Amino acid sequence: MVDEEGSEVPPRGGVGLDLGPECADLLCRRGWFQRVDVLSVLASRPGMELMTEVVDPRDDWPVEARTLRLELLELYGEHDGLPDVAGGWIARWPSVNTRRTYARSFRVWEAYARERGQHPLTAAFPLADAFARHLEAAPTLRRVKGGQYGEMAPTGRPRGDASRATLLSACSSFYVYAVRARAAEADPFEAVLRPVVDPDESPTEGLTEDETAKLIATATAWSPRAEALVKLLYRMGPRVDEILALDADQLGYDRGHRTLPPRVKGGKVRPKPVVPLALDALECYLDGRTASPLFVTRTGARLRESEVWKLLRRLAAKANLPQADSIKPHVLRHGFITDSLDAGVPLQDLQDAANHKDPRSTQRYNRRRRRHENHPGHTLAARLADKLAPHETPASSD
């Protein structure tokens, strides 16, 4: 195809297509292709080719995937397929929390395999089975007190059954992806026995309503940020990563309610109402701010989950709570669910508020909430105390 000056012009969107002069001219007259005059300049310069900038699709990966890939590149080099396979596996998960958890789990397995001279993509069942046994006694990494930022050491307690089951499940998920990508032949974790986890068992140490009130009062006296954060976590019941991922300009309005749209487990956005007491605290903290993360540090950076853990433990210690050394953000979500059940909120409404896909997840909180109060030992102790009372004599004083 040629333009009015006789220069050859490739059709728009069809550079390099050999359509033939008659066919190309017909398509051009019908408007299917368009002549681009600038290409006539290129056509008049022999030997030049139309170049298109190549964009690396890995640039679109979330930060967790890119970080893991770079770490593996330093260990295995550019000619090894593991960095791209692992990065692609992490990138496919919509939830930030899932990406972080799976990346941490894979790092544990990758280090174990490498230290034993095995490449993760060629690992077989015996190594994966040995890894599962290794986790039963292996210490976990903990931050070094007084050390450099991010410095970790293997000084923590071994993982519990639920943590080991999650880690082994993450490793198996990686190999399912690797097999589909034709980077591995099979999943070595497919036949590995995983810990049996009681769905009704939870390591979360719940607070009483009085203890929760003391924590909120302490947060209110501590700072506007602490007050807003604790009230949102307790009165809305989100997971901490969901609330920290929000921006200030996402505080919206719907049918008479101020709302926040957290991206919940599974990657779905579920707008939730901000109840009045929490809203007052949040608006006081934001003070008109609309162009930054919802919760920020003193430098304006987004508040991190680890910083929320530290804040809660400071608040719990200040409030003289017995869980000061072990409290975590999930305790407030736990309190939101169990206290709502105590207040008579229907289980179906609470399931929706807590974003539980399976109603059995909400029911577990219902079964656990009165487990200690209704234990038969309390009744037996009361009856025994009545029988022992007549036989008890005051201790003699010397």
Side-chain angles (χ1 to χ4, degrees), residues 23-178:
C23 180
D25 190 58
L26 175 63
L27 294 177
C28 187
R29 288 199 305 272
R30 291 186 176 182
W32 291 5
F33 289 147
Q34 178 180 348
R35 293 185 177 94
V36 183
D37 293 338
V38 71
L39 294 180
S40 64
V41 178
L42 296 178
S44 64
R45 300 173 63 181
M48 289 196 65
E49 296 181 0
L50 182 63
M51 301 298 294
T52 302
E53 182 180 358
V54 178
V55 179
D56 192 337
R58 292 170 297 196
D59 293 341
D60 295 326
W61 284 357
V63 63
E64 299 83 7
R66 287 183 277 117
T67 300
L68 179 61
R69 176 179 177 271
L70 290 176
E71 292 175 5
L72 294 175
L73 277 175
E74 293 183 359
L75 294 170
Y76 294 88
E78 296 182 356
H79 299 292
D80 194 286
L82 181 62
D84 285 339
V85 175
W89 166 62
I90 293 297
R92 70 189 302 263
W93 298 104
S95 168
V96 175
N97 192 48
T98 300
R99 294 196 297 265
R100 290 174 179 171
T101 301
Y102 277 19
R104 285 195 302 265
S105 300
F106 183 79
R107 289 183 179 100
V108 177
W109 159 243
E110 183 277 327
Y112 178 86
R114 175 165 42 83
E115 291 168 359
R116 284 151 184 81
Q118 296 289 321
H119 192 289
L121 290 179
T122 58
F125 166 72
L127 185 68
D129 195 46
F131 175 66
R133 293 193 300 271
H134 164 77
L135 293 177
E136 296 176 1
T140 52
L141 294 176
R142 288 291 182 267
R143 290 182 175 82
V144 177
K145 292 184 178 180
Q148 297 180 354
Y149 179 78
E151 185 178 357
M152 309 285 282
T155 58
R157 293 181 298 178
R159 295 171 178 82
D161 289 346
S163 296
R164 285 187 285 117
T166 299
L167 197 154
L168 294 173
S169 176
C171 293
S172 181
S173 171
F174 165 74
Y175 283 100
V176 170
Y177 179 87

Side-chain angles (χ1 to χ4, degrees), residues 213-288:
K214 289 176 63 178
L215 183 66
I216 292 175
T218 304
T220 301
W222 190 274
S223 70
R225 186 184 70 178
E227 178 188 7
L229 181 60
V230 171
K231 285 185 175 179
L232 281 178
L233 290 174
Y234 176 66
R235 297 186 186 277
M236 288 182 62
R239 297 174 178 86
V240 64
D241 61 299
E242 297 170 359
I243 209 72
L244 296 183
L246 294 172
D247 294 326
D249 61 1
Q250 291 182 283
L251 181 60
Y253 179 88
D254 183 33
R255 299 177 63 85
H257 299 277
R258 299 306 303 272
T259 62
L260 284 172
R263 186 175 295 276
V264 302
K265 193 174 182 179
K268 296 180 180 179
V269 176
R270 295 286 176 83
K272 300 294 180 182
V274 185
V275 298
L277 291 177
L279 179 61
D280 293 343
L282 180 60
E283 290 181 332
C284 178
Y285 165 61
L286 291 177
D287 193 26

Side-chain angles (χ1 to χ4, degrees), residues 57 118 137 196 238 248 269 277 310 315 320-321 364 370-371 384 394:
Q118 296 289 321
V196 177
V269 176
L277 291 177
K310 294 178 182 178
L315 295 175
N320 294 318
L321 299 183
R364 290 166 190 153
R370 292 296 182 188
R371 182 174 56 183
L384 184 60

